[in-house]
Amino acid sequence: MAQEKSGTGSFKDVLIKVLSVFYVIYIGYFIISYFASPQQVVVGLITMSAILVSLVQIKNYTARLGATVSGGLVVLLVMLWLFIGLYFYIEYPTLLYERDGANNTLDFVLAGSLIVMTIIFTYICYGLAIPLVVTAFLLYGLLGQYLPGFLYHPGMRVERLLQETSLSFSGIFGMLPQVGLKYVAIFIVFAGFVRVFGGMDYTIELVRRLSRRNERMIPQIGVLASMVFGSFTGSAAANLAGTGAFTIPLMKKHGIPPKVAGGIEAAASAGGQIMPPIMGTTAFVIAEYLGIQYLDVVMAGVFPAVLFYFSIVVAVYIISLIYMKPSNNVHKDDAKDEDLEKHGSLADGLSLALGMGTIFYLLVVPKLDAMTCGFYGVVAYVAAQILLCLALASHRKSPKELLETLIDGAVKAASGTAPIILLLACLGIVVKILVGSGLSTRLSYGLVELGGNHMVPVIMLVMLVCILFGMAVTTVAAYILTVIVAAPALQSFGIPDLATHFAIFYFAMLSAITPPVAGIIPIACSLSNSGYMETAWESMKLGVAKYLLPFAFIFQPNLLKLDGDGLVAFVRVGMGIIAITTGLQFRYPGALAGGLRALLLAFGFFALFSPYMSLAWVSVVLSAMIIGLLAVFWKSKLRTNPA
């Protein structure tokens, strides 16, 4: 019996590896050849994604049924997905051009099955929230004629609903999963190979070595590691779990209180989604919605990302001055820390730089599309790593070991891409019904009316909607669900398109650290052994820039430009955010400290939002003077109390 189970597991592992390799090749071949239309290729990608999820995750839900029943269910699901996928793939031209509006019974049955299966598999990957939202919108599409007020619409027959959401190759096969195919997938493939070849280990080791030069750099490990790690994962939870496991205990070991250590890592991890080039996959969706180059979105995100992480670096440094005590053990103890025994080499760093450099060069100079740049970046990185394995003794691998590493990279790439493709396909249903029923337009007008036709109340309502959506779904899902409704409302006040979309994107991320849900705070609490609300409060104070930047995009849209005007806005907004951050982290008792704190908060607010340029720049100068005086004070303390 044990041998039978082992044999079954071994066969399934082989099947996962074979499918993952084919999955990666399928994406790469589409990029270099465009062998079929994006809609048709998406059919294959969704099918393979669902089959991978069947092989990898279904056992978690069926284990109690026994190995035989569980295995039989997996086989049934795989066969069903294969049949549906092959049918839509083969019948694509006929469905789109010949039977459009005149579908047969089998078309409708398979379209309904596809919708149900996509919802179920999204539940398997992401939990119940998104499937409930999609189901509610499907019911809304069918029963809109029975609803009152602005929710009313004539309703859709079942046949039309199926036609709109799948048989017309929109909805499930529409713009969102095509974004996943064209842009998201290849960058996740890149991240998968970076992980298996040790690129992440190298970056973390580099950050760790920098911290050895100054003990007060130790809390910055979490910030810098999260910044790098998050630029690849795009997931706040994965970022926190991946870096917090060793950074939080290390901070606690050197005197940082548990709630503060957890708050630092949570705030830094939540910002990984704003780091170019991937930006939590949302950058690709923004580019597609606005019809602009992906590079333009990435460039627009540079100044805000720098401001966000610099504000956290400043806050964490102030915290280290307050809580950390001098020690002579940093070099000895940390060198032996078993949680940090991950070593990379300069060669690993150079190969990673080659891959990333290839992507940016092709984006900037010949201005190729993002998926082509990503493809050649993957090729450059993998080729460099293969050469290292052949040329350097420290990296040497046998052909079998090298092949296994490449296959592991494909498995990580496919397993990372598959859930996102299914999520985007599922959200495509919502988008189609929102637009097709006219609800998005009516909700947009409703937001403006509810805000009394005043911009600031409307912005606050949009922020609330984004946070509410973000409590239940991922950032990219919250952005997609909100932007359809909220963007027209904000644009009605003359706010530029890019500023509108960036503001909604940042608002959608706030739920990660904002109670009552604060999705990643429980992870930080478990790693730091701290309380929920106290950790969330520390994280919100540390991540205050994320709350302020969306308003800065709206009132200072030049911040999204990489030019002279953008630099001016960068200085003004940056000093305002740093002043507010310093005021929140100035944790000294007494009336003088309280007065300085109040001045910093006030000057920071005026620097950010004053409509009078003279007052804004006076506030910038005064903020800089106060922070300069505090820096002199802290420097004098360091001379008598060095770390």
Side-chain angles (χ1 to χ4, degrees), residues 208-255:
R208 184 182 68 85
R209 288 178 181 176
L210 289 174
S211 72
R212 288 185 182 179
R213 301 186 179 184
N214 186 326
E215 188 171 358
R216 287 193 171 91
M217 277 292 293
I218 286 172
Q220 305 290 0
I221 293 178
V223 179
L224 298 177
S226 294
M227 181 177 69
V228 175
F229 196 84
S231 68
F232 287 98
T233 64
S235 166
N239 198 352
L240 178 54
T243 58
F246 71 88
T247 59
I248 290 176
L250 189 60
M251 285 188 275
K252 289 171 61 181
K253 176 180 175 182
H254 288 275

Side-chain angles (χ1 to χ4, degrees), residues 54 58 61-62 65 67-78:
S54 299
I58 288 293
Y61 295 86
T62 60
L65 300 176
T68 303
V69 176
S70 178
L73 183 59
V74 169
V75 171
L76 178 64
L77 289 171
V78 168

Side-chain angles (χ1 to χ4, degrees), residues 17 390 397-408:
K17 291 178 180 178
L390 297 175
K397 295 180 180 180
S398 67
K400 181 182 177 182
E401 291 173 331
L402 181 58
L403 180 61
E404 288 176 349
T405 303
L406 290 171
I407 291 173
D408 287 344

